[in-house]
Amino acid sequence: MEFSKDKKTIFSAVQPSGNLTIGNYLGAIKNWQTLQDGGEFNCLYCVADMHSITVRQDPALLRRRTLETMAVYVASGLDPEKNIMFVQSHVPAHAELAWVLNCYTMFGELSRMTQFKDKSAKNEQNINAGLFTYPALMAADILLYGTDLVPVGIDQKQHVELARDIAVRFNQIYGDTFTVPEPYILQTGKKIYSLAEPEKKMSKSDENVNSFIGILDSRDVIIKKFKRAVTDSDTHVCYAEGKNGINNLMTIYSCFTGKTMEEIEREFDGKGYGEFKLAVGEACADALAPLQKQYNCLMSDRSYLEGILSQNADYAAYLARKMLSKVYRKVGFLAKNK
Ligand code: TRP
């Protein structure tokens, strides 16, 4: 784990608020691995537990999922020696900078965030202040480390853009402080849709468990869920407008096997949807098997994982503290005598 001034810095995070799906894996985690292997970036990957409590969580479950998410990162091939991987609440500077940034974020800006509008419509009973100021905490995550690029799905782009605006605003008042980050929408990161409603994004918090494939689902479950996947009344396996279900299954198959759409069409020419769905299920189960094995190994000896988390959090805290001190000085907080 080496943080080099000559390299650009990447920061990303996921919330531990549900079982990770193959959507998270194919859309994000698998690409983080490519970034790591390229070796041209400093990479920080965080489990954003503080963001999760903007909606009610079961405490024991949140704790478990936080560790599980980190185990999935590691089992997917993210090397804790090469990347800084940590839990957000282990690094207090995130909360501290978030407070400061709250004072440089406008009510109007936060009101325009589509995620806030969606989530408050869904959680009418609990439209709390944290849900509203969520993007200021996210901006703190990003700005603490001089992040240049933030690989995220398209749904988080608006939040990264707000982090940019906050950075620019702060820099205008106090002089150069923050690196102005950019969203980094990876070309290879495929959007994976729900198996039950293929117009909707595959989501780990979907109530219908048949709509998503969890990274840790067993082989039988995976094959069964693909069998049930919603398709159309046509019978040809081909990628075409209006065939959302089949297009999605082809995307998944292509991601796991490396085959192109043309190759897949040829492979299943004259064969029915049933055969194709079974092949997708098997390819997915085969690809996830080594990851699951590694995951079980990690979870059976937590001390290794806990050691990584503690070491990485210390290093992240050291980096974050430097930025926070600079910010505290700029806004005029009196330094405490050592
Ligand atoms: N809000 C992001 C999500 O729900 C997770 C997240 C938190 C994040 N902090 C971040 C993503 C910083 C990128 C950078 O997906």
Side-chain angles (χ1 to χ4, degrees):
M1 173 179 57
E2 194 91 359
F3 208 85
S4 157
K5 285 215 165 70
D6 305 327
K7 291 182 182 175
K8 288 201 165 177
T9 297
I10 287 198
F11 183 101
S12 197
V14 295
Q15 292 188 52
S17 39
N19 295 317
L20 290 174
T21 71
I22 56 166
N24 302 109
Y25 179 68
L26 299 174
I29 303 172
K30 199 157 170 268
N31 300 300
W32 296 354
Q33 197 189 343
T34 317
L35 293 172
Q36 150 189 302
D37 296 342
E40 43 171 322
F41 301 104
N42 300 309
C43 299
L44 297 115
Y45 298 119
C46 171
V47 178
D49 56 346
M50 290 161 66
H51 278 103
S52 292
I53 62 161
T54 54
V55 300
R56 286 284 174 266
Q57 300 290 335
D58 175 85
L61 200 57
L62 179 60
R63 230 184 317 276
R64 200 181 81 207
R65 284 188 167 149
T66 301
L67 198 67
E68 285 174 356
T69 305
M70 199 46 87
V72 167
Y73 282 7
V74 177
S76 314
L78 290 178
D79 185 344
E81 304 285 330
K82 293 193 188 149
N83 307 290
I84 304 174
M85 294 154 68
F86 65 101
V87 175
Q88 189 182 29
S89 65
H90 290 177
V91 181
H94 289 248
E96 294 169 296
L97 183 62
W99 172 254
V100 176
L101 297 185
N102 264 319
C103 304
Y104 297 83
T105 308
M106 300 301 136
F107 185 88
E109 288 174 319
L110 293 171
S111 313
R112 282 193 292 276
M113 294 292 117
T114 48
Q115 182 178 297
F116 172 69
K117 290 191 232 169
D118 289 351
K119 286 201 178 174
S120 46
K122 275 192 214 146
N123 293 286
E124 263 183 51
Q125 310 318 319
N126 185 21
I127 308 180
N128 61 71
L131 193 64
F132 189 61
T133 63
Y134 173 118
L137 176 60
M138 186 159 154
D141 297 343
I142 296 168
L143 300 182
L144 271 176
Y145 302 97
T147 303
D148 299 280
L149 299 170
V150 188
V152 281
I154 201 88
D155 60 314
Q156 293 297 318
K157 190 163 168 251
Q158 199 185 25
H159 289 157
V160 180
E161 279 161 358
L162 181 57
R164 271 180 79 83
D165 293 344
I166 298 170
V168 168
R169 177 174 303 139
F170 195 95
N171 289 349
Q172 268 165 2
I173 307 173
Y174 299 105
D176 230 8
T177 311
F178 295 125
T179 303
V180 179
E182 273 178 53
Y184 186 36
I185 312 289
L186 289 159
Q187 292 314 318
T188 48
K190 290 285 192 301
K191 188 163 176 188
I192 306 296
Y193 294 89
S194 156
L195 300 185
E197 295 164 85
E199 326 42 67
K200 270 179 32 186
K201 185 181 156 187
M202 183 180 281
S203 165
K204 57 191 172 187
S205 42
D206 202 311
E207 274 165 26
N208 177 1
V209 293
N210 286 318
S211 72
F212 61 81
I213 306 285
I215 293 182
L216 303 173
D217 280 353
S218 72
R219 185 174 193 89
D220 290 351
V221 169
I222 292 175
I223 290 176
K224 201 170 72 205
K225 285 185 181 176
F226 276 115
K227 245 184 220 163
R228 292 206 185 138
V230 168
T231 48
D232 51 61
S233 55
D234 189 21
T235 52
H236 292 303
V237 176
C238 64
Y239 198 93
E241 180 111 21
K243 289 170 70 87
N244 296 347
I246 286 293
N247 294 348
N248 188 38
L249 294 180
M250 287 178 75
T251 305
I252 294 171
Y253 190 63
S254 159
C255 287
F256 281 125
T257 60
K259 292 177 187 168
T260 64
M261 295 302 171
E262 294 76 39
E263 286 168 336
I264 300 171
E265 286 173 5
R266 244 176 288 131
E267 184 178 350
F268 293 96
D269 189 23
K271 298 180 182 159
Y273 282 177
E275 199 169 328
F276 173 56
K277 285 178 177 181
L278 181 63
V280 182
E282 285 179 339
C284 173
D286 287 346
L288 293 179
L291 185 160
Q292 295 179 349
K293 195 166 158 227
Q294 171 77 5
Y295 171 87
N296 289 328
C297 200
L298 286 165
M299 290 304 279
S300 66
D301 175 17
R302 291 174 174 221
S303 57
Y304 169 72
L305 211 53
E306 283 162 357
I308 290 176
L309 286 183
S310 152
Q311 231 181 331
N312 279 266
D314 287 347
Y315 191 57
Y318 157 78
L319 295 170
R321 189 55 50 189
K322 285 203 276 193
M323 179 61 86
L324 188 71
S325 303
K326 193 155 132 189
V327 169
Y328 273 18
R329 186 157 33 81
K330 297 227 177 188
V331 300
F333 290 166
L334 178 66
K336 176 166 68 80
N337 252 338
K338 294 250 161 61

